[in-house]
């Protein structure tokens, strides 16, 4: 008799991601293989291969070829909740069947009494699954961008540092289809563009470090997988705290939408995310090509050439230029780009536009000048 359907579903999702990680790992010759010389990446260069052959033919002990790179390390980011514990269990099971090392990281945000003890409990549970390395990382959560954004920034900074420290090929995150639907709705509420509506990518971060195997699975599947495997889970009280926007959306907004529109809202929003991502990727590619055509020989942006671009493409070009000048991407909103865009489409001699990161944009002599003040 096979595993419970929920367990089978989470394992299959993780297995697919691990196969992708293995393929990329061996294609690039191990950690850092994209940037290292072939000999360092575990493949002898033609010159090195010749040296090995010459050493053998001269009667001297043949120099051993560099060993193949070790198996890739895949970490799971685990809070102790049902989604991430289900993910950890599936990673532990599948890694044993593949040439993959599996470890776990839990981040202690220090936002609740006893958070350190809970982080230690998560470490114990991950270690009991034979994950190695396993560690808890404590972080300080600031205030910039609000409590949810600040906690997210601190968490990803800690995960990035852990991945670098351990040489991890990937970090698995337990975001589900329900999380994706919530992300799309939050983007709609903010009046964000199509990139925001595309939700979370299956792979993101530096070199696709972060992988989200559960984006096609619902939250209930992950919880059921924990239940049938007798895996203890921790329910974060912040997830039901109405002080947090995502919590209100989860417990009030989405149920109200399903009551008004019927079942299937979550699945529809997840499909919207994927369709929006495809469109956004295409527009980003178009903008990258267009940016080369709208710059003069000195690299300046020509307003006349920007003007004739479709608005969606032009604003992408402007966003790239503003970020390149030093504006933090997370602090740059649609209203900022609209003001910069008016320097192109509604020029009336207006003054420079002040942007996040002490960046300013001004129109000068038919050129758009974007720089830090």
């Amino acid at each position: 008799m096979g595993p419970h359907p929920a367990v089978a579903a989470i394992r299959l999702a993780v297995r697919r991601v691990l196969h992708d990680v293995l393929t990329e790992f061996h294609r690039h010759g191990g950690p850092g293989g994209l940037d290292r010389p072939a000999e360092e990446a575990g493949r002898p260069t033609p010159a090195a291969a010749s040296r090995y052959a010459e050493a053998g033919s001269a009667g001297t002990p043949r120099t051993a070829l560099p060993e193949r790179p070790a198996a890739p390390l895949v970490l799971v980011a685990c809070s102790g909740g049902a989604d991430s514990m289900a993910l950890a269990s599936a990673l532990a099971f599948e890694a044993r069947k593949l040439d993959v090392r599996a470890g776990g990281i839990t981040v202690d945000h220090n936002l609740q009494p006893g958070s350190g003890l809970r982080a230690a409990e998560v470490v114990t549970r991950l270690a009991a699954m034979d994950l190695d390395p396993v560690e808890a990382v404590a972080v300080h959560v600031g205030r910039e961008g609000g409590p949810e954004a600040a906690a997210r920034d601190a968490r990803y900074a800690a995960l990035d540092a852990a991945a670098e420290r351990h040489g991890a090929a990937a970090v698995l995150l337990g975001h589900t289809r329900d999380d994706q639907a919530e992300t799309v709705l939050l983007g709609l509420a903010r009046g964000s563009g199509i990139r925001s509506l595309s939700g979370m990518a299956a792979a993101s971060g530096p070199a696709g470090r972060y992988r989200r195997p559960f984006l096609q699975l619902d939250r209930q599947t992950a919880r059921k997988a924990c239940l049938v495997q007798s895996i203890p889970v921790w329910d974060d009280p912040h997830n039901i705290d109405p002080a947090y926007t995502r919590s209100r959306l989860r417990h009030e907004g989405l149920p109200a939408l399903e009551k008004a529109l019927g079942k299937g809202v979550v699945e529809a929003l997840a499909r919207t995310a994927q369709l929006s991502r495809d469109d956004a990727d295409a527009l980003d590619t178009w903008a990258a090509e267009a940016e080369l055509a709208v710059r003069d020989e000195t690299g300046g942006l020509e307003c006349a050439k920007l003007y004739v671009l479709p608005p969606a493409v032009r604003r992408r070009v402007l966003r790239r230029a503003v970020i390149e000048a030093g504006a933090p991407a997370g602090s740059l909103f649609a209203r900022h780009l609209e003001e910069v865009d008016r320097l192109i489409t509604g020029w009336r001699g207006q003054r420079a536009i002040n942007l996040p990161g002490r960046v300013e944009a001004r129109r000068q002599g038919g050129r758009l000048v974007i720089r830090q003040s």
Side-chain angles (χ1 to χ4, degrees):
M1 183 176 177
H4 186 279
V7 176
I10 65 170
R11 289 177 178 175
L12 176 59
V14 169
R15 188 184 317 144
R16 287 170 172 165
V17 169
L18 293 184
H19 278 301
D20 290 342
V21 171
L22 276 168
T23 299
E24 295 165 15
F25 181 86
H26 291 302
R27 180 186 300 140
H28 300 150
L34 279 172
D35 305 316
R36 295 182 300 166
E39 192 168 356
E40 293 179 16
R43 308 183 303 277
T45 61
S50 177
R51 292 199 302 274
Y52 302 141
E54 289 172 4
S57 63
T60 56
R62 188 183 300 273
T63 305
L65 290 172
E67 294 183 4
R68 290 176 60 84
L73 171 64
V74 176
L75 299 174
V76 57
C78 188
S79 67
D83 301 341
S84 59
M85 289 302 293
L87 182 58
S89 71
L91 173 61
F93 181 85
E94 294 297 331
R96 287 193 288 267
K97 303 182 344 184
L98 299 170
D99 189 21
V100 172
R101 294 178 295 135
I105 302 292
T106 186
V107 178
D108 175 12
H109 296 85
N110 284 303
L111 294 176
Q112 302 171 32
S115 63
L117 290 175
R118 280 189 291 273
E121 289 174 3
V122 173
V123 165
T124 300
R125 291 171 187 170
L126 295 179
M129 294 178 182
D130 293 327
L131 298 183
D132 182 39
V134 172
E135 67 174 339
V137 181
V139 298
H140 170 72
V141 177
R143 297 183 178 181
E144 186 174 354
E148 292 167 285
R152 182 176 61 248
D153 290 345
R155 180 167 59 252
Y156 276 101
L159 293 175
D160 278 333
E164 295 291 341
R165 186 166 59 253
H166 294 290
V171 178
L172 305 188
L173 304 176
H175 297 122
T176 64
R177 186 170 62 194
D178 301 80
D179 296 308
Q180 186 75 298
E182 292 162 10
T183 301
V184 173
L185 282 176
L186 288 170
L188 280 170
R190 289 192 298 264
S192 302
I194 194 171
R195 175 57 70 187
S196 180
L197 300 187
S198 64
M200 296 174 285
S204 64
R209 167 180 292 159
Y210 294 108
R211 309 296 176 105
R212 298 177 174 87
F214 290 175
L215 284 183
Q216 301 303 318
L217 301 177
D218 61 29
R219 191 174 288 137
Q220 191 57 38
T221 297
R223 184 168 288 275
K224 186 67 174 179
C226 289
L227 179 64
V228 300
Q229 295 178 99
S230 299
I231 297 173
V233 300
W234 173 65
D235 290 315
D236 187 346
H238 282 175
N239 289 336
I240 57 173
D241 188 342
Y244 294 96
T245 304
R246 187 177 285 268
S247 174
R248 294 196 302 274
L249 180 60
R250 180 174 303 176
H251 297 288
E252 300 173 24
L254 271 171
L257 279 175
E258 292 201 330
K259 183 177 180 180
L261 302 176
K263 295 292 185 182
V265 170
V266 168
E267 293 85 346
L269 288 168
R271 284 196 302 274
T272 296
Q274 185 55 58
L275 293 171
S276 297
R277 180 165 297 280
D278 292 342
D279 290 348
D281 288 345
L283 287 168
D284 285 348
T285 299
W286 186 355
E289 296 170 352
E291 184 176 2
L292 299 176
V294 298
R295 291 189 180 274
D296 60 22
E297 62 279 359
T298 66
L301 291 166
E302 299 188 56
C303 294
K305 291 180 179 179
L306 284 166
Y307 182 84
V308 298
L309 291 176
V313 176
R314 181 174 59 246
R315 288 175 184 171
R316 279 171 166 75
V317 172
L318 296 177
R319 186 176 190 275
R320 288 164 60 98
V322 170
I323 291 173
E324 185 179 314
S331 301
L332 196 60
F333 302 121
R335 66 178 184 274
H336 296 128
L337 295 177
E338 289 169 2
E339 289 299 317
V340 177
D341 195 43
R342 272 194 276 272
L343 295 176
I344 308 298
T345 61
W347 175 241
R348 302 183 308 279
Q350 55 263 51
R351 299 169 62 182
I353 306 298
N354 293 317
L355 301 165
R358 296 187 300 104
V359 172
E360 68 171 25
R362 68 170 65 244
R363 180 164 174 159
Q364 192 171 36
R367 302 289 186 272
L368 186 64
V369 179
I370 303 174
R371 63 189 176 199
Q372 281 189 318
S373 57

